[in-house]
Amino acid sequence: MAESFFDTFTPQEVARISAAGTGVKVPEGWSPIWEGTAADKAYIILSGTVSVRRHGDEIAQLGPGDIVGEVAIVNHSLRTATIVALTPLELIHLSAETVRQLCSEVPAFEKAISSATDERLASDRTHAAD
């Protein structure tokens, strides 16, 4: 099974991260993040599956324990993909400011965000070569 974004955190860190965000439910078919838009939020997926799409083509599917939307926040850039709910979702909504605050207050969060970002960027380079 793929590693969850939360796997490297202590229970206290998980509680801190969860408390910093807002729980939201998203219906199937809804897109909480759109390619080419401002990086104003990220989501941690608690349940459900999303399709990650670039220029309309699916490049990945993500599920519980994954974070989405962090790359554009970290890179201070516009969104590079659209996220579409393939199933109903339960998410933790994190504003861009909350992501930055957690990065400064919870070293393990900053490390996990950096790791997730590095993995996504490496995957982007692979897809660009396709």
Side-chain angles (χ1 to χ4, degrees):
M1 186 171 116
E3 184 173 294
S4 166
F5 180 72
F6 282 118
D7 285 351
T8 60
F9 302 130
T10 66
Q12 294 81 7
E13 289 167 336
V14 170
R16 169 71 179 97
I17 294 162
S18 297
T22 303
V24 295
K25 293 185 180 200
V26 173
E28 180 179 343
W30 196 71
S31 295
I33 291 175
W34 288 86
E35 186 173 0
T37 61
D40 59 347
K41 60 189 168 266
Y43 295 97
I44 299 171
I45 303 169
L46 299 177
S47 69
T49 303
V50 300
S51 171
V52 181
R53 299 177 184 173
R54 184 169 297 134
H55 308 299
D57 296 323
E58 183 173 282
I59 59 170
Q61 285 190 10
L62 301 173
D66 287 318
I67 187 168
V68 295
E70 81 291 349
V71 173
I73 293 171
V74 170
N75 290 335
H76 305 282
S77 64
L78 294 177
R79 303 288 183 189
T80 59
T82 296
I83 306 301
V84 179
L86 297 177
T87 65
L89 304 173
E90 288 188 40
L91 309 168
I92 296 174
H93 170 273
L94 301 170
S95 69
E97 180 58 35
T98 299
V99 169
R100 288 188 282 274
Q101 184 177 354
L102 286 169
C103 281
S104 69
E105 294 176 3
V106 183
F109 183 82
E110 182 177 33
K111 183 178 177 194
I113 288 282
S114 293
S115 176
T117 300
D118 290 347
E119 286 177 25
R120 299 267 165 77
L121 294 176
S123 175
D124 286 352
R125 286 189 289 277
T126 300
H127 286 290
D130 288 348

